[in-house]
Amino acid sequence: MTEQNGDFRSGFVAIIGRPNVGKSTLLNRIVGEKIAIISPKPQTTWNKILGVKTLPHAQIIFVDTPGVHEASSKLNRNMVNTARKALHDANVALHLVEATDPLLLQCEQVVWQLLEGAKVPVILSINKIDLVKTGNVFAENLLTFQYTKVICISALLGTGVDLLEREVVSLLPHGPKYYPDEIFTDQTERVMVGEIIREQIFHLTHREIPYSCAVLVEDFKEREGGAIFIRASINVEKESQKGIIIGREGRKLREIGRLARVDIEQLLGAKVYLDLWVKVLKNWRRKEYALREFGLA
Ligand code: GDP
Ligand code: MG
């Protein structure tokens, strides 16, 4: 926590929405392009922090509510319970649906039951309004759940997103800035992923090689279906080291990636695509900017 002043608002916003309703699109629009994932620390309620948006007067921390969307079809009790806890700890819930989904009203019963129990303000956000004719968006009078606000948006075009952001902030309690300004997501997972890769380099190479490698996780994204795409660079000091890391016909690098991926998947609890690159950054160990970039300064 880096700041505390009386007017600052902050808190957790649980996002509920079935796949494809536009959750990622909305987050990318609000938080920025580079969204990564925070994985579960086993003892915490949250499965994922999806993104952090810091404003001059507020900080919004978007979190996932695991499985609510699946729950509406499968009625998986565990997932519902996990989601219930996540909602319970949130300050605001954001229920994202599609304006174009004709089955909306029948399908959201499970979600409504959860929301009833949660006792947090809930914003219904109807996305993809660019796809429907105005005046034909939604039969609001058919809702049996009492939403705090109903806001129509197009996450794709940005319509209504500012309003949504303001409404979210207005529902957050006064509180501290949990994350520093430049953090749009928790970085620790990236660092841990880098360490796992480095560990395999230590296993599979010798002498000075492991000490000449700095691993930088350059991209870390969730893909459709919950898989995680990670691109990381292994930065070495000399061309000759690059050859050793890559190995004959790329075998060494593939082996590093294969072993690291197993551990990373364990850490993140998700399927991982690991894309490893080897780069030469001449004598990086003697360069201040490089050390800073690798978090070693
Ligand atoms: P998620 O599964 O909930 O994260 O959904 P995505 O953000 O991945 O979006 C699913 C699809 O819906 C993508 O093809 C998006 O481009 C599209 N989409 C998201 N928001 C909008 C919107 O406001 N309007 C339109 N027309 N398409 C959208
Ligand atoms: Mg998505």
Side-chain angles (χ1 to χ4, degrees):
M1 298 185 200
T2 55
E3 188 174 307
Q4 185 128 29
N5 86 50
D7 291 332
F8 200 82
R9 290 177 185 272
S10 62
F12 295 88
V13 178
I15 300 191
I16 307 166
R18 278 186 273 162
N20 229 39
V21 293
K23 213 161 70 163
S24 303
T25 310
L26 178 62
L27 278 161
N28 284 345
R29 184 160 283 280
I30 293 181
V31 177
E33 290 304 313
K34 291 158 76 188
I35 288 190
I37 291 162
I38 290 185
S39 85
K41 298 180 190 76
Q43 70 279 24
T44 59
T45 312
W46 307 115
N47 260 25
K48 289 172 194 165
I49 291 186
L50 300 170
V52 180
K53 170 76 174 201
T54 305
L55 298 158
H57 55 290
Q59 185 166 70
I60 312 170
I61 301 157
F62 291 98
V63 298
D64 208 3
T65 49
V68 176
H69 32 81
E70 289 92 348
S72 38
S73 56
K74 285 194 214 144
L75 280 171
N76 181 316
R77 196 182 299 163
N78 270 341
M79 286 192 297
V80 173
N81 283 337
T82 314
R84 181 176 291 129
K85 264 196 241 145
L87 276 170
H88 181 81
D89 293 350
N91 301 103
V92 175
L94 182 60
H95 186 189
L96 198 61
V97 297
E98 290 183 64
T100 48
D101 186 353
L103 292 174
L104 176 70
L105 289 177
Q106 291 115 66
C107 290
E108 303 292 334
Q109 290 296 342
V110 173
V111 173
W112 284 344
Q113 274 169 27
L114 279 170
L115 292 174
E116 296 277 4
K119 303 202 172 18
V120 292
V122 186
I123 297 175
L124 175 65
S125 199
I126 301 165
N127 190 27
K128 310 195 185 180
I129 49 157
D130 54 294
L131 296 179
V132 297
K133 292 202 182 74
T134 344
N136 190 22
V137 170
F138 198 67
E140 218 177 303
N141 56 333
L142 293 180
L143 290 176
T144 61
F145 181 79
Q146 193 68 47
Y147 289 99
T148 307
K149 271 266 149 50
V150 179
I151 299 171
C152 294
I153 63 166
S154 167
L156 193 66
L157 305 180
T159 321
V161 174
D162 285 351
L163 175 65
L164 175 62
E165 193 180 293
R166 281 200 300 278
E167 291 294 344
V168 166
V169 169
S170 76
L171 293 171
L172 292 177
H174 293 291
K177 194 186 276 185
Y178 293 100
Y179 294 93
D181 287 345
E182 67 278 10
I183 298 295
F184 49 82
T185 188
D186 192 310
Q187 299 282 308
T188 40
E189 287 312 323
R190 288 182 174 233
V191 173
M192 286 165 84
V193 164
E195 287 305 298
I196 288 173
I197 297 166
R198 240 161 55 85
E199 190 182 355
Q200 294 309 329
I201 298 171
F202 267 92
H203 272 134
L204 297 171
T205 65
H206 306 285
R207 286 196 286 271
E208 98 284 14
I209 300 290
Y211 302 98
S212 309
C213 292
V215 177
L216 192 64
V217 174
E218 303 193 341
D219 204 357
F220 189 122
K221 276 201 198 88
E222 190 182 15
R223 281 192 170 164
E224 269 325 301
I228 297 165
F229 171 82
I230 297 169
R231 192 180 68 235
S233 61
I234 298 170
N235 297 268
V236 295
E237 292 191 295
K238 306 178 205 164
E239 208 62 47
S240 61
Q241 295 167 342
K242 179 174 174 175
I244 291 168
I245 293 283
I246 291 175
R248 197 183 302 158
E249 294 173 320
R251 263 183 250 157
K252 181 78 81 190
L253 186 62
R254 272 204 302 281
E255 184 70 351
I256 291 168
R258 191 181 64 78
L259 292 169
R261 188 171 50 80
V262 173
D263 288 356
I264 296 168
E265 290 191 332
Q266 183 120 48
L267 173 76
L268 302 176
K271 184 163 173 49
V272 166
Y273 296 92
L274 182 59
D275 194 14
L276 287 180
W277 294 82
V278 184
K279 294 184 189 171
V280 180
L281 191 57
K282 283 219 166 19
N283 300 318
W284 66 260
R285 280 196 288 183
R286 281 184 258 137
K287 287 174 181 151
E288 180 66 21
Y289 77 90
L291 291 171
R292 258 203 311 278
E293 181 165 38
F294 301 143
L296 300 171

